Amino acid sequence: MEIELKLSLAPEDAPRLRAHPLLAQSAPGPLVLQMHDIYVDTPDLQLCRHQAGLRVRQVDGRWVQTLKAGGTVSGGLHSRHEWEGEVPGPQPDLAALDSAIGRKQPIRTLLRQDAIRDALRPVFTTRIERTVWQLRTPQGDEIECVLDQGVIESGVDGADGANGVDGEGYSVAVSEIELELKQGQAASLFDVALALLQEVPLQLGHMSKAERGYRLVAQQPLRAVKAQPLALDGAMSVEQAFLAIAGNCLEQVSGNQDGVAAGADVESVHQMRVGLRRLRSALGMFKSLLVLPDALKSELDWLGGALGEARDWDVLAGNTLAQLDGEAQADAAALAQAAHAQARLKHVEAAQAVTSARCTACMLGLQRWLQARAWRDSCSARQVRRLDAHVSPFAHATVRKDQRRLMKRGKRLLHASPQQRHQVRIAAKKTRYATEFFASLFATRTVQPYVGRLSALQDELGWLNDVQVADRLLLQLPDVQADQADQFAQDGLRLHAAFIRGYLAARAQAQGKDGRMHKAWRRFKAARLPA
């Protein structure tokens, strides 16, 4: 099982990396290799569909085949099963792979199917110059640092023209670092990455070259990544459950980073922000046992704020104003155009934030804190015992506590102020996150109705919160558009905004009286607590 951390850098920053003291002082000096990889799959990409990659690599006159399959990506670390061996030429040797793969590995069964074996062909290639440094940390950990620069191509000739890749030609540049743990603690990978970041602008890498190659072949657009179901085991300790929950949240955050960096995808911004909010909620759930350092908390708040501004303008332009009709439609349409323009500006700022060295340092620091379990340094003996205890009692106690808080805040929901309704909404969201985190420890028949009623309550409270946000943004809109519009247009926006603010306030007041929110609240109160 290989464990590695991927980082990307601009090609023009490669000389700065090579000159970094950490690498310049490594002994022996760097090894430079010229590599040509041929990735093999069926025409319908069956290996890729089964989360596997098979390649044959030519390096220094030798051919080596490598199969990678299964494994996980957690906390920025890529862990995969790997089988490797020399072959005579550019074609894979499936018999040798069959002997090497463990009997219980699903990929072995797949590769034994005649239909799969007969259909294998080259699907894309890479041509890479690889520079390798062998590093040893002061603690004795051994890490291989690799700089890869080159290109991934589909629809071009394979090795020596003998393995043509069908289809139209596409290519994408490669400029990335891989830090692979050879011996020692995984936390040391983040120490090295943070040291490199001090001299070289870096970003966390979220896709392997194989994943990028497959995306190139299929011409797949970036898609927003939602939170994946989380499977906890009752035999887990509280600490193990926290690490699984935090890793699940970070997968959602990192899975949407490329979409946010592209600068225009509304759903990627939304899902990355949701991932951060889930993470902050998880940190709050476990705060009696472990506390995130203030510096990291501040950086998470900064990143959440950058995404939040873009999301608020997206909701105003694409949801709140877009849903208005009748007498408000013309005014809403005039405002929506200006709101969309502001949303585009905020998307640019969000893209700058997630591609910044500051964001990289935040994510690396957070993941290092998780890998090293740094909270144990300040834990009392009682806290350590609670961290090591089974998670099920903690899960039940947490959901009960969150429900009590929600019930207390919701007592006066009928006559609540907007600020009080907001507090109820936050409590409902935290209760839902906690229930979803621990759902696998509860009976499905009790979890699903409970979460369903929580969601219905959140929807009602969420629209009222959107109205409050809209009121704030509509007040700002004429002024933020001042540099892009003449005085007449600005005055027009101000009039449209004043009308829509009043219109939305009236609709919110009517919704507060029509019983939908209170019906949702009564249904939730009657829901059975998950058990």
Side-chain angles (χ1 to χ4, degrees):
M1 178 79 76
E2 65 172 5
I3 299 176
E4 62 182 26
L5 178 64
K6 297 180 183 295
L7 301 149
S8 63
L9 73 165
E12 59 269 21
D13 288 326
R16 295 172 65 180
L17 177 74
R18 297 175 189 275
H20 194 287
L22 189 63
L23 303 184
Q25 297 170 9
S26 68
L31 174 66
V32 180
L33 304 171
Q34 302 298 325
M35 301 189 312
H36 176 206
D37 291 357
I38 302 169
Y39 282 81
V40 178
D41 207 329
T42 64
D44 58 350
L45 307 180
Q46 282 296 317
L47 298 189
C48 177
R49 295 175 192 274
H50 287 79
Q51 297 182 319
L54 175 58
R55 72 171 185 237
V56 182
R57 169 175 292 171
Q58 185 185 39
V59 54
D60 288 346
R62 298 165 50 241
W63 289 96
V64 178
Q65 69 176 2
T66 303
L67 174 66
K68 296 185 181 184
T72 59
V73 179
S74 179
L77 295 181
H78 299 247
S79 304
R80 306 199 75 190
H81 297 291
E82 179 179 319
W83 300 274
E84 191 169 88
E86 288 198 32
V87 289
Q91 285 78 31
D93 183 344
L94 298 183
L97 279 175
D98 187 77
S99 299
I101 301 171
R103 293 182 180 274
K104 295 183 179 181
Q105 292 292 336
I107 189 63
R108 187 171 187 256
T109 303
L110 183 70
L111 287 175
R112 283 190 160 197
Q113 298 177 20
D114 290 339
I116 298 294
R117 298 165 73 96
D118 295 341
L120 291 176
R121 65 177 181 84
V123 288
F124 62 91
T125 66
T126 69
R127 295 184 183 275
I128 302 290
E129 179 181 89
R130 167 165 287 186
T131 308
V132 184
W133 294 266
Q134 301 298 334
L135 308 178
R136 189 177 181 88
T137 69
Q139 295 77 28
D141 299 324
E142 296 178 7
I143 295 171
E144 184 176 83
C145 176
V146 170
L147 170 64
D148 281 346
Q149 292 191 289
V151 65
I152 303 172
E153 299 172 311
S154 71
V156 298
D157 285 342
D160 302 323
N163 294 278
V165 179
D166 296 334
E168 186 179 351
Y170 299 99
S171 66
V172 62
V174 173
S175 183
E176 65 183 26
I177 300 167
E178 292 180 359
L179 298 174
E180 182 176 350
L181 184 67
K182 295 298 185 180
Q183 183 175 316
Q185 301 297 314
S188 62
L189 295 174
F190 297 102
D191 292 331
V192 171
L194 286 164
L196 296 177
L197 183 63
Q198 291 180 4
E199 303 290 337
V200 186
L202 301 171
Q203 297 177 36
L204 280 170
H206 308 298
M207 288 189 288
S208 66
K209 285 186 280 293
E211 290 172 307
R212 296 177 68 191
Y214 277 118
R215 185 178 293 276
L216 187 68
V217 170
Q219 287 295 288
Q220 294 176 341
L222 290 169
R223 291 187 176 91
V225 176
K226 293 186 177 181
Q228 297 301 302
L230 182 62
L232 301 179
D233 187 325
M236 281 181 168
S237 69
V238 171
E239 185 175 57
Q240 288 171 330
F242 168 71
L243 289 169
I245 291 169
N248 180 269
C249 297
L250 284 172
E251 284 180 31
Q252 186 180 11
V253 172
S254 62
N256 288 289
Q257 192 164 339
D258 289 341
V260 176
D265 188 53
V266 170
E267 188 62 15
S268 290
V269 169
H270 174 47
Q271 292 301 330
M272 187 173 181
R273 184 174 180 237
V274 169
L276 285 172
R277 295 175 82 164
R278 292 175 67 236
L279 177 61
R280 287 200 294 263
S281 182
L283 290 165
M285 282 169 30
F286 290 87
K287 66 181 180 181
S288 64
L289 302 177
L290 49 88
V291 179
L292 185 69
D294 288 341
L296 285 174
K297 182 180 182 300
S298 176
E299 291 302 272
L300 283 179
D301 290 344
W302 159 75
L303 183 58
L307 296 169
E309 290 193 29
R311 178 61 183 167
D312 285 347
W313 285 102
D314 283 337
V315 171
L316 174 64
N319 292 359
T320 309
L321 294 176
Q323 293 173 6
L324 300 183
D325 51 19
E327 60 180 327
Q329 192 169 20
D331 295 270
L335 292 168
Q337 184 177 2
H340 275 299
Q342 188 64 16
R344 287 192 292 271
L345 291 176
K346 294 301 179 182
H347 272 265
V348 171
E349 293 177 8
Q352 291 171 343
V354 302
T355 56
S356 67
R358 182 178 180 180
C359 179
T360 303
C362 173
M363 290 294 106
L364 288 173
L366 176 61
Q367 292 160 359
R368 199 251 181 242
W369 179 74
L370 291 169
Q371 284 292 327
R373 304 188 183 194
W375 50 84
R376 283 189 171 251
D377 296 339
S378 57
C379 276
S380 67
R382 181 173 179 272
Q383 287 174 315
V384 169
R385 287 194 299 272
R386 292 178 64 197
L387 284 170
D388 292 337
H390 284 174
V391 68
S392 290
F394 179 89
H396 285 82
T398 298
V399 173
R400 284 196 300 270
K401 181 180 70 175
D402 285 350
Q403 189 192 43
R404 285 197 300 269
R405 177 179 57 201
L406 176 53
M407 291 294 190
K408 181 178 180 180
R409 291 185 181 180
K411 282 182 178 179
R412 297 178 179 83
L413 190 57
L414 179 62
H415 304 292
S417 67
Q419 293 76 20
Q420 291 170 327
R421 282 200 306 265
H422 178 69
Q423 290 302 311
V424 177
R425 186 178 71 90
I426 295 300
K429 185 171 296 187
K430 289 182 177 180
T431 304
R432 179 180 172 184
Y433 287 157
T435 307
E436 290 175 338
F437 287 146
F438 296 125
S440 58
L441 303 176
F442 303 134
T444 303
R445 68 180 183 277
T446 61
V447 170
Q448 290 180 345
Y450 187 79
V451 171
R453 296 185 183 191
L454 260 178
S455 299
L457 177 62
Q458 278 186 263
D459 288 343
E460 295 300 325
L461 294 170
W463 189 85
L464 293 171
N465 183 71
D466 289 344
V467 170
Q468 291 299 117
V469 173
D471 188 75
R472 172 173 59 83
L473 296 183
L474 289 172
L475 270 176
Q476 300 174 17
L477 189 58
D479 294 325
V480 299
Q481 289 287 300
D483 295 336
Q484 305 170 35
D486 57 32
Q487 186 63 47
F488 180 78
Q490 193 176 351
D491 289 342
L493 280 178
R494 191 168 282 109
L495 288 172
H496 290 309
F499 176 78
I500 293 299
R501 287 176 61 224
Y503 183 86
L504 286 172
R507 280 194 57 174
Q509 186 175 22
Q511 181 168 324
K513 294 179 179 179
D514 69 6
R516 284 185 302 170
M517 180 177 65
H518 307 298
K519 180 180 179 181
W521 174 247
R522 288 194 301 271
R523 291 190 74 245
F524 169 70
K525 285 200 303 180
R528 179 184 173 189
L529 194 67

XYZ file of all heavy atoms in Angstrom, residues 15-69:
438
model
N 12.012 25.801 -11.103
C 13.376 26.142 -10.665
C 13.449 26.534 -9.190
O 14.428 26.212 -8.502
C 13.757 27.320 -11.581
C 12.926 27.119 -12.813
C 11.625 26.575 -12.307
N 12.414 27.204 -8.676
C 12.391 27.568 -7.264
C 12.314 26.319 -6.396
O 12.915 26.253 -5.322
C 11.205 28.496 -6.977
C 11.297 29.840 -7.687
C 10.015 30.637 -7.536
N 9.755 31.017 -6.148
C 8.691 31.726 -5.771
N 7.785 32.089 -6.680
N 8.525 32.048 -4.504
N 11.561 25.329 -6.862
C 11.485 24.081 -6.112
C 12.841 23.380 -6.087
O 13.296 22.930 -5.034
C 10.435 23.161 -6.728
C 10.320 21.798 -6.056
C 9.625 21.923 -4.706
C 9.586 20.799 -6.943
N 13.481 23.298 -7.238
C 14.769 22.597 -7.317
C 15.809 23.255 -6.416
O 16.708 22.580 -5.893
C 15.271 22.577 -8.762
C 14.375 21.807 -9.725
C 14.892 21.938 -11.160
N 13.967 21.397 -12.123
C 13.888 20.117 -12.477
N 14.713 19.241 -11.910
N 13.011 19.704 -13.372
N 15.691 24.576 -6.238
C 16.665 25.312 -5.426
C 16.302 25.342 -3.955
O 17.049 25.907 -3.145
C 16.794 26.744 -5.958
N 15.184 24.745 -3.576
C 14.752 24.774 -2.179
C 15.812 24.099 -1.306
O 16.308 23.021 -1.636
C 13.414 24.049 -2.027
C 12.741 24.298 -0.719
N 13.181 23.737 0.472
C 11.665 25.062 -0.383
C 12.401 24.129 1.455
N 11.468 24.926 0.965
N 16.174 24.713 -0.180
C 17.225 24.138 0.674
C 16.959 22.691 1.079
O 17.886 21.886 1.184
C 17.226 25.068 1.897
C 16.681 26.362 1.392
C 15.691 26.008 0.334
N 15.691 22.343 1.296
C 15.365 20.991 1.711
C 15.774 19.970 0.649
O 16.212 18.857 0.968
C 13.863 20.888 1.983
C 13.361 19.600 2.641
C 13.951 19.432 4.027
C 11.834 19.603 2.703
N 15.651 20.358 -0.632
C 15.994 19.450 -1.721
C 17.458 19.593 -2.118
O 18.126 18.603 -2.439
C 15.096 19.715 -2.934
C 13.588 19.612 -2.683
C 12.828 19.791 -3.991
C 13.230 18.285 -2.042
N 17.957 20.831 -2.089
C 19.345 21.065 -2.495
C 20.330 20.343 -1.585
O 21.432 19.973 -2.008
C 19.632 22.565 -2.510
N 19.935 20.117 -0.327
C 20.834 19.477 0.633
C 20.651 17.963 0.704
O 21.324 17.296 1.487
C 20.593 20.077 2.030
C 20.914 21.559 2.126
C 20.447 22.181 3.437
O 20.030 21.477 4.346
N 20.516 23.506 3.527
N 19.736 17.420 -0.099
C 19.488 15.989 -0.016
C 20.673 15.197 -0.560
O 21.374 15.631 -1.483
C 18.235 15.613 -0.815
O 18.456 15.799 -2.202
N 20.920 14.053 0.038
C 22.001 13.189 -0.408
C 21.454 11.755 -0.514
O 20.810 11.271 0.416
C 23.173 13.243 0.570
N 21.686 11.105 -1.640
C 22.407 11.590 -2.818
C 21.605 12.654 -3.562
O 20.458 12.910 -3.222
C 22.564 10.323 -3.658
C 21.348 9.503 -3.293
C 21.135 9.740 -1.831
N 22.215 13.233 -4.572
C 21.555 14.277 -5.355
C 20.389 13.721 -6.152
O 20.112 12.517 -6.143
N 19.663 14.594 -6.859
C 18.463 14.159 -7.574
C 18.779 13.200 -8.718
O 19.803 13.300 -9.374
C 17.871 15.471 -8.092
C 19.023 16.412 -8.181
C 19.924 16.040 -7.045
N 17.837 12.296 -8.945
C 17.881 11.370 -10.073
C 16.856 11.850 -11.088
O 15.703 12.108 -10.744
C 17.536 9.955 -9.591
C 17.389 8.870 -10.658
C 18.731 8.599 -11.336
C 16.817 7.595 -10.041
N 17.272 11.969 -12.359
C 16.379 12.449 -13.418
C 16.072 11.296 -14.360
O 16.994 10.625 -14.865
C 16.990 13.632 -14.191
C 16.031 14.098 -15.286
C 17.308 14.778 -13.238
N 14.781 11.057 -14.603
C 14.335 9.959 -15.455
C 13.401 10.486 -16.534
O 12.617 11.419 -16.301
C 13.585 8.909 -14.622
C 14.325 8.303 -13.425
C 13.358 7.470 -12.596
C 15.491 7.462 -13.902
N 13.476 9.891 -17.719
C 12.535 10.172 -18.801
C 11.567 8.992 -18.874
O 11.981 7.846 -19.066
C 13.261 10.353 -20.133
C 14.297 11.457 -20.134
C 13.701 12.833 -19.870
O 12.570 13.123 -20.301
N 14.463 13.681 -19.190
N 10.280 9.264 -18.714
C 9.302 8.185 -18.617
C 8.222 8.325 -19.675
O 7.785 9.432 -19.999
C 8.650 8.176 -17.232
C 9.640 8.005 -16.096
S 8.826 7.732 -14.501
C 7.610 9.036 -14.497
N 7.828 7.187 -20.203
C 6.722 7.116 -21.158
C 5.747 6.068 -20.656
O 6.102 4.882 -20.561
C 7.254 6.746 -22.548
C 6.174 6.559 -23.573
N 6.329 5.762 -24.675
C 4.917 7.060 -23.657
C 5.225 5.782 -25.396
N 4.362 6.562 -24.803
N 4.540 6.465 -20.291
C 3.538 5.554 -19.753
C 2.428 5.323 -20.769
O 1.973 6.265 -21.440
C 2.900 6.119 -18.476
C 3.862 6.145 -17.306
O 5.004 5.679 -17.472
O 3.470 6.637 -16.237
N 1.991 4.082 -20.874
C 0.843 3.722 -21.710
C -0.217 3.146 -20.781
O -0.003 2.108 -20.139
C 1.222 2.681 -22.776
C 2.351 3.198 -23.671
C -0.001 2.320 -23.630
C 2.950 2.137 -24.575
N -1.348 3.823 -20.668
C -2.447 3.348 -19.818
C -3.407 2.513 -20.659
O -3.788 2.902 -21.772
C -3.185 4.531 -19.184
C -2.437 5.122 -18.013
C -1.384 6.008 -18.209
C -2.765 4.773 -16.714
C -0.680 6.549 -17.135
C -2.076 5.303 -15.635
C -1.033 6.190 -15.851
O -0.352 6.709 -14.776
N -3.780 1.367 -20.122
C -4.545 0.362 -20.851
C -5.902 0.167 -20.188
O -6.013 0.118 -18.961
C -3.767 -0.976 -20.869
C -4.569 -2.050 -21.582
C -2.408 -0.793 -21.531
N -6.939 0.052 -21.025
C -8.285 -0.206 -20.517
C -9.138 -0.726 -21.662
O -8.683 -0.803 -22.804
C -8.893 1.070 -19.919
C -9.923 0.800 -18.830
O -10.600 -0.245 -18.902
O -10.053 1.616 -17.900
N -10.373 -1.062 -21.379
C -11.321 -1.474 -22.414
C -11.907 -0.216 -23.066
O -11.834 0.883 -22.497
C -12.451 -2.312 -21.813
O -13.199 -1.502 -20.893
C -11.890 -3.520 -21.077
N -12.536 -0.354 -24.240
C -13.135 0.831 -24.883
C -14.160 1.542 -24.007
O -14.304 2.757 -24.084
C -13.779 0.250 -26.153
C -12.951 -0.956 -26.464
C -12.582 -1.534 -25.127
N -14.873 0.775 -23.169
C -15.858 1.404 -22.280
C -15.298 1.646 -20.875
O -16.050 1.872 -19.924
C -17.147 0.579 -22.206
C -16.900 -0.858 -21.732
O -15.722 -1.253 -21.649
O -17.876 -1.565 -21.453
N -13.958 1.570 -20.742
C -13.242 1.961 -19.521
C -13.689 1.167 -18.283
O -13.961 1.729 -17.229
C -13.404 3.469 -19.280
C -13.038 4.389 -20.461
C -13.237 5.843 -20.074
C -11.620 4.147 -20.938
N -13.718 -0.156 -18.428
C -14.154 -0.997 -17.317
C -13.209 -0.926 -16.116
O -13.646 -0.970 -14.968
C -14.299 -2.450 -17.784
C -15.574 -2.713 -18.566
C -16.816 -2.506 -17.715
O -16.875 -2.919 -16.568
N -17.813 -1.838 -18.285
N -11.894 -0.859 -16.360
C -10.960 -0.769 -15.238
C -11.194 0.524 -14.460
O -11.209 0.536 -13.232
C -9.517 -0.841 -15.724
C -9.080 -2.129 -16.431
C -7.562 -2.112 -16.658
C -9.476 -3.351 -15.639
N -11.358 1.597 -15.190
C -11.620 2.889 -14.537
C -12.907 2.826 -13.729
O -12.969 3.329 -12.599
C -11.694 3.987 -15.589
S -12.084 5.621 -14.942
N -13.923 2.192 -14.283
C -15.213 2.091 -13.579
C -15.088 1.302 -12.280
O -15.880 1.481 -11.366
C -16.260 1.441 -14.489
C -16.616 2.265 -15.717
C -17.563 1.492 -16.620
N -17.695 2.128 -17.905
C -18.553 3.115 -18.181
N -19.345 3.558 -17.221
N -18.617 3.639 -19.385
N -14.088 0.416 -12.232
C -13.842 -0.356 -11.021
C -12.711 0.244 -10.185
O -12.090 -0.435 -9.374
C -13.522 -1.813 -11.383
C -14.717 -2.589 -11.840
N -15.227 -2.474 -13.119
C -15.523 -3.482 -11.186
C -16.280 -3.276 -13.242
N -16.482 -3.879 -12.085
N -12.432 1.528 -10.424
C -11.442 2.282 -9.640
C -10.057 1.638 -9.695
O -9.372 1.499 -8.687
C -11.910 2.436 -8.188
C -13.203 3.228 -8.062
C -13.630 3.423 -6.626
O -13.536 2.517 -5.811
N -14.080 4.634 -6.297
N -9.670 1.228 -10.898
C -8.356 0.631 -11.100
C -7.668 1.306 -12.281
O -8.316 1.894 -13.151
C -8.483 -0.872 -11.356
N -6.347 1.227 -12.302
C -5.566 1.764 -13.404
C -4.418 0.814 -13.727
O -3.704 0.370 -12.828
N -4.265 0.500 -15.014
C -3.196 -0.399 -15.464
C -2.340 0.339 -16.476
O -2.860 0.851 -17.480
C -3.796 -1.660 -16.089
C -2.818 -2.664 -16.731
C -1.782 -3.143 -15.722
C -3.581 -3.831 -17.339
N -1.044 0.383 -16.217
C -0.145 1.076 -17.133
C 1.094 0.224 -17.370
O 1.463 -0.628 -16.550
C 0.272 2.436 -16.572
C 1.246 2.329 -15.414
C 1.823 3.674 -14.992
N 2.829 3.463 -13.964
C 2.811 4.016 -12.748
N 1.817 4.820 -12.415
N 3.778 3.749 -11.883
N 1.742 0.502 -18.506
C 3.057 -0.042 -18.801
C 3.983 1.155 -19.012
O 3.688 2.042 -19.819
C 3.043 -0.945 -20.042
C 4.434 -1.533 -20.274
C 2.016 -2.055 -19.892
N 5.072 1.183 -18.263
C 5.975 2.344 -18.267
C 7.324 1.967 -18.856
O 7.912 0.945 -18.481
C 6.156 2.863 -16.841
C 7.285 3.892 -16.682
C 7.322 4.455 -15.275
N 6.137 5.265 -15.020
C 5.804 5.752 -13.822
N 6.564 5.467 -12.765
N 4.721 6.486 -13.674
N 7.793 2.812 -19.773
C 9.149 2.681 -20.295
C 10.036 3.707 -19.596
O 9.772 4.906 -19.652
C 9.180 2.921 -21.800
C 10.550 2.686 -22.428
C 10.575 3.042 -23.902
O 9.978 4.034 -24.313
N 11.257 2.238 -24.702
N 11.088 3.215 -18.932
C 12.014 4.104 -18.245
C 13.402 3.502 -18.336
O 13.617 2.341 -17.959
C 11.577 4.345 -16.777
C 11.389 3.048 -16.025
C 12.552 5.252 -16.054
N 14.324 4.273 -18.877
C 15.716 3.829 -19.035
C 15.814 2.484 -19.751
O 16.570 1.593 -19.367
C 16.408 3.726 -17.671
C 16.683 5.100 -17.071
O 16.583 6.095 -17.812
O 16.983 5.162 -15.873
N 15.034 2.322 -20.822
C 15.116 1.117 -21.636
C 14.387 -0.081 -21.070
O 14.337 -1.142 -21.702
N 13.803 0.006 -19.881
C 13.070 -1.082 -19.258
C 11.571 -0.804 -19.344
O 11.134 0.337 -19.390
C 13.463 -1.240 -17.786
C 14.918 -1.587 -17.559
C 15.316 -1.362 -16.088
N 14.409 -1.991 -15.145
C 13.707 -1.318 -14.231
N 13.793 0.010 -14.152
N 12.922 -1.964 -13.389
N 10.807 -1.892 -19.370
C 9.357 -1.779 -19.325
C 8.865 -2.359 -17.998
O 9.245 -3.471 -17.612
C 8.710 -2.536 -20.480
C 8.923 -1.891 -21.814
C 9.895 -2.192 -22.723
C 8.156 -0.836 -22.382
N 9.792 -1.387 -23.827
C 8.718 -0.536 -23.647
C 7.056 -0.098 -21.954
C 8.208 0.452 -24.482
C 6.543 0.892 -22.786
C 7.120 1.159 -24.034
N 8.028 -1.601 -17.297
C 7.481 -2.016 -16.010
C 5.972 -1.812 -16.042
O 5.490 -0.741 -16.425
C 8.090 -1.198 -14.850
C 7.469 -1.612 -13.524
C 9.603 -1.378 -14.805
N 5.225 -2.850 -15.686
C 3.773 -2.705 -15.605
C 3.366 -2.466 -14.153
O 3.965 -3.015 -13.226
C 3.054 -3.929 -16.156
C 3.184 -5.186 -15.323
C 2.365 -6.342 -15.893
O 1.726 -6.205 -16.936
N 2.371 -7.479 -15.219
N 2.350 -1.631 -13.975
C 1.854 -1.307 -12.639
C 0.334 -1.316 -12.662
O -0.283 -0.707 -13.540
C 2.345 0.071 -12.166
O 3.775 0.101 -12.186
C 1.857 0.370 -10.766
N -0.248 -2.004 -11.712
C -1.690 -1.983 -11.520
C -1.967 -1.359 -10.163
O -1.408 -1.774 -9.147
C -2.259 -3.403 -11.556
C -3.758 -3.539 -11.212
C -4.624 -2.872 -12.269
C -4.142 -5.009 -11.047
N -2.822 -0.336 -10.151
C -3.256 0.276 -8.900
C -4.761 0.117 -8.799
O -5.488 0.322 -9.780
C -2.877 1.761 -8.839
C -1.370 2.004 -8.852
C -1.049 3.481 -8.677
C 0.457 3.716 -8.708
N 0.809 5.140 -8.450
N -5.230 -0.229 -7.608
C -6.665 -0.464 -7.442
C -7.062 -0.255 -6.000
O -6.253 -0.408 -5.085
C -7.027 -1.884 -7.876
